Amino acid sequence: MKNTTRDEWRVIIEIRPRYTHTPISALGFTNLDYDLDGEIDGDPFELTIAPRRLGDLGAGLSVGDQLASRDIDAAYKRRCEAMLAELLRAPHVRGGRVTCTETHTCSHCSLLWEVLTAEEAADPRNRQDEHSVEGEPVCCGKAIAEFRTEHGLPAEQQDVTP
Ligand SMILES: [Zn+2]
């Protein structure tokens, strides 16, 4: 079956520079003399923020994410959503969202999960046999067998060696 893993949780916010006369100290230029300071100008732009690792306990202490949380995905998602909610309170933040990278792999063979499209299923070169349909996995026999059982389709014909 299809296993989905999520990774690289990120918060993306849209900054509108001109809205509140955002000082450039907001970008980390904090040591400028008063006369050399200025305001951020330009069109709205997006900023991507990586959350602090779950295992980063502060004060120089660090453990693996697995030790810090039983459900790493949910914990990163919660953390990112909390970050976003907090960041949205700033008037120069116009909007934002939480994203992650999803990877789908086969639980049997660990290859990337791919299935036949309707077009591919119509092409005999892509079909295992006449029972191949749209949505059938392509990675391995076990995944195909599982799909066919779930969908009430006849099993693939196996070459039986005596
Ligand atoms: Zn597989």
Side-chain angles (χ1 to χ4, degrees):
M1 65 180 199
K2 179 166 80 173
N3 276 344
T4 300
T5 54
R6 297 182 177 82
D7 200 4
E8 295 176 339
W9 287 92
R10 295 289 184 266
V11 179
I12 298 175
I13 53 173
E14 190 185 0
I15 306 283
R16 42 183 169 189
R18 291 175 188 158
Y19 183 68
T20 48
H21 307 286
T22 309
I24 57 175
S25 62
L27 293 180
F29 302 102
T30 51
N31 295 321
L32 295 171
D33 289 340
Y34 183 75
D35 288 347
L36 302 182
D37 207 351
E39 292 170 1
I40 301 169
D41 198 0
D43 293 327
F45 61 91
E46 283 193 344
L47 202 61
T48 301
I49 304 159
R52 192 182 296 278
R53 283 204 317 104
L54 296 176
D56 178 352
L57 305 176
L61 292 173
S62 183
V63 296
D65 282 352
Q66 290 80 359
L67 274 178
S69 174
R70 272 190 206 169
D71 190 342
I72 293 173
D73 267 338
Y76 271 117
K77 184 165 188 271
R78 259 200 315 278
R79 175 168 292 190
C80 285
E81 284 170 350
M83 277 172 76
L84 178 60
E86 195 58 37
L87 293 167
L88 284 173
R89 293 154 60 108
H92 59 286
V93 178
R94 180 155 77 178
R97 62 191 186 276
V98 172
T99 71
C100 67
T101 308
E102 283 193 342
T103 310
H104 307 291
T105 50
C106 174
S107 61
H108 302 291
C109 68
S110 302
L111 289 177
L112 275 185
W113 185 261
E114 278 182 80
V115 299
L116 293 177
T117 62
E119 240 172 57
E120 287 164 349
D123 183 342
R125 284 172 302 176
N126 298 319
R127 296 153 63 101
Q128 302 296 329
D129 57 30
E130 71 272 25
H131 302 295
S132 285
V133 293
E134 178 185 3
E136 184 173 87
V138 300
C139 57
C140 66
K142 281 185 179 171
I144 293 171
E146 191 177 57
F147 173 85
R148 291 197 171 186
T149 306
E150 279 169 13
H151 291 78
L153 295 164
E156 245 183 303
Q157 292 301 313
Q158 303 284 345
D159 293 330
V160 181
T161 29

